[in-house]
Amino acid sequence: MSLALDSATSPSTHARDPSEQASARLITGEASYQRKLSIPTRQGRQLVSFPHILQPEQPRDTAVDLARFLQTAKELSQQPAGVQISNHDADQSPLRHLLTAAGGVLKFEKTPLRSAHDFSDFMHNLAAGTGWLPHVDKGLMVLRRPHAKNVATANEGPPTQAIGSHNEYGLSSHYPSYIAFFCLASPDTGGQTPIASSLRLYERFESELNAYLQAITKRGIAFAIHHPRGNVEGHVGGNSVFNANSFGPNEQGALQPEVPFAQLPEESKRAIVEENVRALAREGGWDESASLDDESVAVWKRRGYSGHWMPDGSFIVVQRTPGVRIHPIFGVPSYFTNVHTRFIYAGIDKAGQQIKPHWRRNLLDLVREQQAEQSLASPFQLPAYIVGNTTLEDDTPFDQEWIEENLRITAEEQVDVSWNVGDVLLIDNLAVQHGRRPWEGDRRLLASLWDSPFLQRHSRV
């Protein structure tokens, strides 16, 4: 068989069942939006085309070509003889070698994929040999509607709403290893997905904004997420706090399993949410028994998460996380966070624009004001805060200069990826950030999120 993957990796040599459909031949593609980037790795720097593009050599929209393309995906996921994937062993498939050689992002273009089910089959074939597991959302702020097995809508916020550069759920201790986007319908104008290397961003911040980088590494970042009581349609953060993929119960999660969640008293509902917040904090390394004065433990880890109920029954969850992680495959630090996104959500659209005055004080002061007055529409968007290191809730605003420089540097690193029907963008979430440009027309993207046991185990701080 031939995968024609150029020098990025060697084609698979495993024996194929004669009953299997022959695979499609993939070749390297080019696009005007690509950039040549120098990416840091533990072995030194590597020059990549960002993103690396693959496409069938002779694309046609036939059932035969779909079967061949799906077979190619399965072959891309296969491990060398004797390699068994686990949380101790790294993926050594051709797909992982391609991702590593490309700096963490691949674009499949001119594919025969045309439906959510086609996309689902493609992703499950990629997962077949790589050891990936479907990601299960927890603490999710955005609405996602299922379309096929492990395939759902991407963020359903309005087309006028830009989404800033971020790692998928980099504001939480629970995040996917990989995220793939699929184009079901392309926009008339705009709608690009800007991507940026988290590995390069770390380098830029280290040399140009070091005080910021040190603060988010040593103290951490506090993300205040406002979850409405019920779903808010057409909103970038409209997922109800009681949904199972937010902080509500799963099927076995009620305190009284014999009583449906909707029939529980308010106190019991809130107790389930509060325990799920604590569970997510524990997943990130928080220990209830740890001393807040133990300086050998990172401040964000000592502080954990906190929750605040509002008069309208909505809930503000403060999630405290580190801003930097080590990528276990590239072997270098990754700027892994949603700080830039939170600035955009909170109304900071360009460098130099002032933060709204009511955000220029400590986080707890703002929460108390909202509990007393409920003066902002629900759900409202808040910027990120620096984790305080003096009192339990003393999380403070970012320096205005840090905000402006963060937006400038990130914008300089972004590459705008455009969309055509059938395109798939596969992202190593620990290595590459993504966002969204506003658009006009019928832009429809689906998303599929996956966990790698190895990456999950070795990327925790």
Side-chain angles (χ1 to χ4, degrees), residues 374-393:
Q374 196 69 38
S375 59
L376 294 178
S378 176
F380 55 86
Q381 308 295 320
L382 292 169
Y385 294 78
I386 292 291
V387 173
N389 57 8
T390 54
T391 61
L392 184 60
E393 298 288 355

Side-chain angles (χ1 to χ4, degrees), residues 6-7 28-39 45-53 101-103 195 197 200 412-415:
D6 299 330
S7 60
T28 298
E30 295 182 352
S32 59
Y33 56 75
Q34 282 177 300
R35 285 173 57 186
K36 291 290 185 182
L37 295 182
S38 175
I39 304 292
R45 307 197 70 81
Q46 64 183 39
L47 188 65
V48 305
S49 294
F50 197 79
H52 186 74
I53 296 174
I195 58 174
S197 169
R200 282 176 56 91
E412 291 175 357
E413 290 293 326
Q414 288 178 313
V415 175

Side-chain angles (χ1 to χ4, degrees), residues 66-77:
L66 175 59
R68 293 177 63 212
F69 189 69
L70 295 177
Q71 178 60 29
T72 300
K74 185 177 292 186
E75 292 175 7
L76 283 173
S77 79

Side-chain angles (χ1 to χ4, degrees), residues 64-388:
V64 172
D65 286 314
L66 175 59
R68 293 177 63 212
F69 189 69
L70 295 177
Q71 178 60 29
T72 300
K74 185 177 292 186
E75 292 175 7
L76 283 173
S77 79
Q78 297 305 300
Q79 304 297 319
V83 175
Q84 293 185 343
I85 292 298
S86 71
N87 58 2
H88 298 285
D89 299 320
D91 178 6
Q92 298 181 42
S93 66
L95 178 65
R96 182 61 247 186
H97 285 301
L98 274 170
L99 278 165
T100 303
V105 59
L106 295 174
K107 179 103 179 292
F108 295 88
E109 294 187 343
K110 301 179 181 178
T111 81
L113 307 177
R114 288 297 179 272
S115 70
H117 292 284
D118 291 347
F119 177 46
S120 177
D121 289 343
F122 176 71
M123 294 306 301
H124 280 83
N125 279 7
L126 288 182
T130 52
W132 298 357
L133 302 172
H135 179 75
V136 178
D137 285 318
K138 301 176 187 177
L140 187 68
M141 63 176 287
V142 301
L143 286 172
R144 289 196 177 116
R145 301 175 196 279
H147 276 238
K149 187 177 179 182
N150 202 36
V151 169
T153 49
N155 190 295
E156 295 188 15
T160 56
Q161 172 73 68
I163 295 179
S165 189
H166 65 286
N167 304 93
E168 191 67 16
Y169 251 65
L171 49 66
S172 176
S173 54
H174 183 80
Y175 49 84
S177 303
Y178 298 99
I179 180 168
F181 294 106
F182 168 65
C183 183
L184 202 57
S186 56
D188 295 336
T189 60
Q192 299 93 341
T193 295
I195 58 174
S197 169
S198 296
L199 315 181
R200 282 176 56 91
L201 284 171
Y202 177 88
E203 287 189 320
R204 292 287 303 272
F205 290 130
E206 185 179 39
S207 63
E208 300 174 45
L209 203 58
N210 191 260
Y212 163 75
L213 189 68
Q214 292 301 314
I216 66 173
T217 303
K218 295 179 179 179
R219 291 172 60 179
I221 306 164
F223 294 99
I225 313 300
H226 186 206
H227 295 267
R229 185 176 183 84
N231 290 345
V232 179
E233 302 294 331
H235 195 282
V236 76
N239 193 29
S240 168
V241 66
F242 292 131
N243 285 352
N245 63 359
S246 182
F247 288 104
N250 56 30
E251 293 180 359
Q252 287 77 40
L255 297 178
Q256 304 172 46
E258 69 279 4
V259 180
F261 179 74
Q263 297 178 17
L264 291 175
E266 180 71 12
E267 182 179 353
S268 296
K269 291 180 180 179
R270 292 190 175 194
I272 291 171
V273 169
E274 291 165 4
E275 174 53 32
N276 285 339
V277 170
R278 289 189 291 269
L280 208 59
R282 294 185 196 104
E283 187 174 331
W286 173 66
D287 181 356
E288 294 104 315
S289 64
S291 169
L292 288 173
D293 300 321
D294 185 357
E295 295 186 359
S296 67
V297 179
V299 181
W300 60 267
K301 188 179 290 188
R302 278 182 269 159
R303 300 281 298 283
Y305 289 19
S306 57
H308 310 271
W309 291 101
M310 309 307 285
D312 65 353
S314 62
F315 194 54
I316 294 179
V317 180
V318 182
Q319 304 177 176
R320 299 179 180 89
T321 67
V324 173
R325 298 177 184 270
I326 303 297
H327 196 295
I329 292 176
F330 288 98
V332 295
S334 170
Y335 176 71
F336 185 79
T337 181
N338 286 36
V339 166
H340 187 282
T341 312
R342 301 307 298 174
F343 292 155
I344 297 294
Y345 283 173
I348 310 302
D349 295 324
K350 59 185 178 180
Q353 181 176 334
Q354 293 296 313
I355 285 184
K356 296 177 182 179
H358 59 266
W359 292 334
R360 300 308 296 166
R361 57 180 169 297
N362 291 356
L363 176 56
L364 183 58
D365 293 337
L366 179 61
V367 170
R368 287 170 174 162
E369 175 188 286
Q370 292 308 303
Q371 288 173 325
E373 302 176 8
Q374 196 69 38
S375 59
L376 294 178
S378 176
F380 55 86
Q381 308 295 320
L382 292 169
Y385 294 78
I386 292 291
V387 173

